[in-house]
Amino acid sequence: MLAVKHMSPAPPLHCSFSAPIQTLKPTLTLPLIPFLKKDKFRFRCELTSFGKPQKWAVEFDSTTIPNPRPVLMASTATLTSSPRNAKKVCLFYCAETKALAERIAAESDAIELRSITWRTFEDGFPNLFISNAQGIRGQHVAFLASFSSPGVIFEQLSVIYALPKLFISSFTLVLPFFPTGTSERMEEEGDIATAFTLARILSNIPISRGGPTSLVTFDIHALQERFYFGDNILPCFDSGIPLLKARLQQLPDSDNISIAFPDDGAWKRFHKQLQHFPTIVCAKVREGNQRIVRIKEGDPKGRHVVIVDDLVQSGGTLIECQKVLASHGAAKISAYVTHGIFPNRSWQRFGEDKGGCPANGLTYFWITDSCPLTVKEVKNKPPFEVLSLARSIAATLQI
Amino acid sequence: MEEGVLRVMEKPNEKQILLFYCMESEDLARKVAEQSPLIQLQSINWRSFDDGFPNLFINNAQYIRGQHVAFLASFSSPAVIFEQLSVIFALPRLFVASFTLVLPFFPTGSFERMEEEGDVATAFTMARILSNIPISRGGPTSLVIYDIHALQERFYFSDHVLPLFETGIPLLKQRLHQLPDTDNVVVAFPDDGAWKRFHKLLDHFPMVVCAKVREGNKRIVRLKEGNPAGCHVVIVDDLVQSGGTLIECQKVLAAHGASKVSAYVTHSVFPKRSWERFIHKNDGSEKAFTYFWTTDSCPLTVKAIGNRAPFEILSLAGSIAEALQI
């Protein structure tokens, strides 16, 4: 007999499984969360008797209650982490991030998408409604934001400020790309560091029952920015580099890869994560009025060089690096940036090198899906390849 | 004419104010500076990076140390908030003696309650953002707002800002006293909300109160109290959006015998050029509104309307210049 313990409101159900399940003597290790799927109750349970946790979906036809007949569905993909610790997360998102949100939810059964009605009043100010607000009480809630331009900040901020106060058990803001990150210092009095403005705004997110909001962001531009945030927010700085490393290992010439950093800043940010690759460091040097890119250390000759940086704007720096590396004998050149900002369609300057001409084109240009508007434009356009942050975000939501 | 000129005794400690402003508010800022030699305009470089995010520079930042500083803001759309906010968050930390934010029109003000769980009250978001302005050597930032939509909104702000709620009604009263038929003026409120907000400031005028009443599926405006017959009725409210409510009120008042109908709103939001339906046409057709008074709290609208009848702009400049001395 399988005693099924689950969350209210349904009463406990007792049901018997026919062989072979009976012989396995499954034990339940999770409180089950039933959710209605039309006329059926669907339970997910974990069978641990054989040491390797497996998730099965069990569907009960409620028309046969009080003796429901369970039908075992195919096992869902095993999670690498023990489902014992999986916390269910309600994931909200904005229009721009819908595709990424769907990918994140596909990574884990514990993540459920939720919706918001995004409308505008005639005067341009947002008219927002959080559907089923009472349903998120006591739940872990996350919001997947994207501040692609100043104009979309206010509407997302209104939701971000409202969610923590709806009696949720914790709140996580996932902001894969933190814009303004490059405007983070005052070189002279009068400079305005807009990164400080944005950090301040985010630091003011109300705390929830779970304490301070967790803020997940990838490859923030300046490492000092972590200190711009107040104590009511817990920044969690993640990186897209593991995605790059995994991709590089799949390449046929994976043992001929060298990593190039366009400047010392990039080297500081990333060299520790890429230590096992030979390294080339470039630098911008002043020659008269001009600034030109030179190779400071390392040798690209005959190598497949991958230029790595946190973000790309117009691409000018990358292109100059590419030229210098090509003129020093690089066999192939690729690029990786976590954030493909590419204002004014500047991605169009990057052509594909189909072989032998690294000065004029790249073999690969990897970006993540942190900037959804760009992803839409470069999808399926070589040399661009999009590496998705979905799995990384799904894992971070479990923290 | 010498008689009747009052000499204002100059207080020994009247403050010199350095006034910064956003691009939209330049005209109003200039008018404010003209009100007093103590108010001096300062400038900011407003540029954008290619990615759309602001690239800002406060000119002569060291000069403002030890000075009273103010910023004249205008949040006409969500898109302009971030750039102005960056300046607003930066100025108090430049060793100024005090900081005042003048935001004549507080947008989102009409979205300030949750009627059902799931509603997002954007007025709360806005108040929260403004409450987060850093304090300066002069203590909490003073926040000057005209005719905020809901009186409860004063409590949405934290202790780090000192909201100063002003009103444009004195400008209206002054204008009404100048009218030739000033003795025949009756003030009308389009709903109880407007009456609550303004009746105390206008209690020496006879009053009419309207109400929106449900009849089947429709909502129509009715006269609730007062008698407009034979009078010059001035409808008073804090703001106008598309103008639908005002037009319906005007019809009801005219039907009840008002000889002339005018309107006053502090804030002319008028999205999508909806003010055009009020413009007097030169084709001899009947003029619904004799006057339409509004302030310059919404600079983009005011610029678009210009001088066209029946609109008359009553400037907040004098009132703002005085508020800066508080």
Side-chain angles (χ1 to χ4, degrees):
Chain A
M1 282 286 276
L2 192 67
V4 174
K5 199 176 88 164
H6 53 258
M7 315 257 278
S8 57
L13 290 171
H14 290 272
C15 34
S16 51
F17 290 86
S18 57
I21 301 303
Q22 266 181 341
T23 59
L24 291 178
K25 287 202 178 23
T27 52
L28 287 185
T29 56
L30 291 171
L32 298 181
I33 301 149
F35 49 96
L36 283 171
K37 205 180 169 190
K38 300 215 171 141
D39 294 323
K40 300 188 199 296
F41 281 85
R42 213 151 171 252
F43 288 77
R44 297 191 183 282
C45 56
E46 181 194 75
L47 306 175
T48 55
S49 297
F50 276 52
K52 185 181 175 189
Q54 278 196 322
K55 289 190 84 185
W56 293 86
V58 182
E59 209 164 65
F60 291 94
D61 183 347
S62 63
T63 59
T64 63
I65 283 175
N67 287 313
R69 291 179 150 280
V71 175
L72 277 175
M73 313 286 283
S75 90
T76 54
T78 54
L79 291 183
T80 47
S81 60
S82 164
R84 183 191 310 265
N85 297 325
K87 46 178 207 197
K88 181 162 174 260
V89 178
C90 298
L91 178 62
F92 291 88
Y93 53 92
C94 58
E96 297 179 11
T97 54
K98 182 172 181 199
L100 177 55
E102 286 170 349
R103 273 180 237 130
I104 295 169
E107 291 288 330
S108 165
D109 292 325
I111 300 174
E112 195 182 291
L113 289 184
R114 289 292 173 129
S115 69
I116 292 169
T117 311
W118 302 89
R119 287 164 306 188
T120 322
F121 287 107
E122 295 280 311
D123 65 0
F125 277 85
N127 176 10
L128 310 167
F129 187 78
I130 300 171
S131 314
N132 200 9
Q134 296 201 358
I136 63 174
R137 290 177 176 181
Q139 305 280 346
H140 297 285
V141 171
F143 181 79
L144 181 62
S146 168
F147 295 158
S148 56
S149 70
V152 302
I153 294 179
F154 185 76
E155 68 206 30
Q156 295 183 46
L157 208 58
S158 298
V159 171
I160 292 166
Y161 282 176
L163 284 170
K165 294 178 75 92
L166 293 173
F167 296 92
I168 61 181
S169 64
S170 80
F171 184 60
T172 299
L173 172 60
V174 183
L175 180 63
F177 172 52
F178 181 90
T180 70
T182 42
S183 315
E184 76 342 290
R185 73 188 80 150
M186 285 172 71
E187 278 163 16
E188 83 183 286
E189 196 125 337
D191 276 336
I192 291 186
T194 48
F196 173 69
T197 312
L198 190 57
R200 199 180 185 82
I201 291 172
L202 297 179
S203 297
N204 201 22
I205 299 172
I207 60 173
S208 68
R209 284 177 157 183
T213 297
S214 301
L215 169 66
V216 179
T217 191
F218 286 79
D219 293 315
I220 198 165
H221 183 76
L223 300 167
Q224 304 85 333
E225 281 163 355
R226 71 164 60 232
F227 302 115
Y228 289 22
F229 295 94
D231 290 334
N232 280 335
I233 191 161
L234 292 174
C236 177
F237 295 115
D238 221 325
S239 176
I241 296 295
L243 294 175
L244 172 66
K245 293 204 289 200
R247 185 70 186 92
L248 292 179
Q249 273 165 359
Q250 294 172 342
L251 295 180
D253 60 348
S254 63
D255 50 1
N256 194 32
I257 305 256
S258 289
I259 303 289
F261 297 111
D263 52 38
D264 270 339
W267 179 84
K268 278 185 203 148
R269 271 181 231 113
F270 297 120
H271 79 279
K272 285 199 177 146
Q273 295 185 65
L274 293 160
Q275 269 171 358
H276 45 287
F277 290 99
T279 305
I280 299 160
V281 185
C282 302
K284 255 195 178 129
V285 170
R286 227 170 269 104
E287 246 185 39
N289 259 354
Q290 293 210 331
R291 299 184 82 198
I292 56 176
V293 177
R294 286 251 166 87
I295 293 185
K296 203 179 80 158
E297 352 172 325
D299 184 8
K301 197 179 243 148
R303 310 286 292 176
H304 178 174
V305 182
V306 180
I307 311 172
V308 170
D309 209 350
D310 60 331
L311 58 83
V312 60
Q313 295 260 9
S314 64
T317 307
L318 281 180
I319 284 183
E320 287 188 53
C321 279
Q322 176 190 359
K323 294 199 169 108
V324 164
L325 293 163
S327 69
H328 279 78
K332 288 200 231 173
I333 301 176
S334 293
Y336 164 89
V337 296
T338 308
H339 311 294
I341 305 167
F342 287 128
N344 304 324
R345 305 177 71 103
S346 45
W347 52 267
Q348 289 178 330
R349 317 162 78 164
F350 292 92
E352 190 189 8
D353 169 27
K354 297 208 174 95
C357 204
N360 292 338
L362 296 175
T363 308
Y364 297 101
F365 197 142
W366 292 292
I367 64 170
T368 73
D369 45 6
S370 64
C371 298
L373 301 183
T374 303
V375 164
K376 239 187 197 152
E377 296 195 338
V378 306
K379 236 159 72 151
N380 298 325
K381 289 196 174 107
F384 292 98
E385 260 189 41
V386 178
L387 308 175
S388 181
L389 295 171
R391 182 161 294 184
S392 185
I393 293 172
T396 310
L397 286 176
Q398 291 298 319
I399 293 175
Chain B
M1 215 165 75
E2 293 296 315
E3 9 165 76
V5 171
L6 284 172
R7 286 208 56 164
V8 178
M9 294 300 296
E10 213 139 292
K11 290 185 231 163
N13 52 350
E14 251 176 354
K15 306 192 277 195
Q16 209 210 16
I17 311 273
L18 301 181
L19 179 61
F20 292 88
Y21 52 92
C22 64
M23 289 184 286
E24 302 177 4
S25 301
E26 182 171 353
D27 287 345
L28 178 54
R30 291 196 181 283
K31 289 197 190 103
V32 171
E34 280 165 19
Q35 301 291 318
S36 162
L38 294 166
I39 301 173
Q40 197 185 101
L41 287 185
Q42 300 282 135
S43 71
I44 293 169
N45 290 351
W46 301 90
R47 290 162 306 183
S48 301
F49 288 108
D50 281 335
D51 65 359
F53 277 84
N55 177 12
L56 308 167
F57 188 79
I58 299 173
N59 291 315
N60 220 356
Q62 294 199 1
Y63 172 69
I64 69 177
R65 290 176 176 180
Q67 306 275 355
H68 298 285
V69 169
F71 181 79
L72 179 59
S74 167
F75 295 161
S76 57
S77 71
V80 302
I81 294 177
F82 186 75
E83 69 207 28
Q84 294 183 47
L85 212 55
S86 297
V87 171
I88 292 166
F89 283 174
L91 283 170
R93 293 175 70 91
L94 292 173
F95 296 92
V96 303
S98 79
F99 183 61
T100 299
L101 172 61
V102 182
L103 180 63
F105 173 51
F106 180 87
T108 71
S110 34
F111 319 122
E112 71 348 290
R113 74 191 81 149
M114 283 172 72
E115 278 162 16
E116 82 182 287
E117 196 125 339
D119 277 336
V120 178
T122 47
F124 172 71
T125 313
M126 183 69 79
R128 200 180 182 83
I129 292 173
L130 296 177
S131 295
N132 203 20
I133 300 171
I135 58 174
S136 68
R137 284 177 156 185
T141 296
S142 302
L143 173 59
V144 182
I145 295 175
Y146 283 78
D147 291 316
I148 199 165
H149 184 74
L151 300 166
Q152 303 86 334
E153 281 163 355
R154 72 165 57 231
F155 302 115
Y156 290 22
F157 297 94
S158 83
D159 292 333
H160 287 140
V161 292
L162 290 175
L164 176 64
F165 295 112
E166 287 282 355
T167 172
I169 296 295
L171 295 172
L172 171 66
K173 291 205 288 200
Q174 198 180 46
R175 186 69 187 90
L176 291 179
H177 286 307
Q178 294 170 346
L179 292 178
D181 60 347
T182 182
D183 296 326
N184 198 27
V185 166
V186 164
V187 166
F189 299 109
D191 53 37
D192 270 339
W195 179 84
K196 277 184 205 148
R197 272 181 230 112
F198 297 120
H199 79 279
K200 285 191 183 158
L201 298 169
L202 293 160
D203 56 12
H204 46 286
F205 287 101
M207 286 189 192
V208 164
V209 184
C210 302
K212 254 195 179 129
V213 169
R214 227 170 268 104
E215 245 185 39
N217 261 353
K218 298 213 317 183
R219 298 185 83 196
I220 57 175
V221 176
R222 283 251 166 89
L223 210 66
K224 202 181 82 156
E225 359 174 320
N227 183 11
C231 294
H232 179 176
V233 183
V234 179
I235 310 173
V236 171
D237 208 350
D238 62 329
L239 60 84
V240 59
Q241 296 265 3
S242 64
T245 307
L246 283 179
I247 287 180
E248 286 187 56
C249 280
Q250 182 268 327
K251 288 192 178 125
V252 166
L253 294 164
H256 279 82
S259 60
K260 286 195 233 174
V261 179
S262 294
Y264 164 89
V265 297
T266 308
H267 310 296
S268 290
V269 180
F270 280 132
K272 304 192 169 118
R273 297 179 68 91
S274 38
W275 49 266
E276 282 179 342
R277 58 210 294 214
F278 293 87
I279 298 288
H280 286 171
K281 299 180 188 33
N282 285 329
D283 55 5
S285 64
E286 196 193 299
K287 296 170 176 24
F289 286 88
T290 309
Y291 298 100
F292 197 129
W293 292 293
T294 185
T295 75
D296 42 6
S297 65
C298 298
L300 297 183
T301 308
V302 159
K303 213 176 213 159
I305 292 176
N307 275 329
R308 285 178 266 203
F311 290 98
E312 263 188 42
I313 312 295
L314 308 173
S315 181
L316 294 173
S319 179
I320 292 173
E322 280 179 20
L324 288 175
Q325 290 298 327
I326 293 174

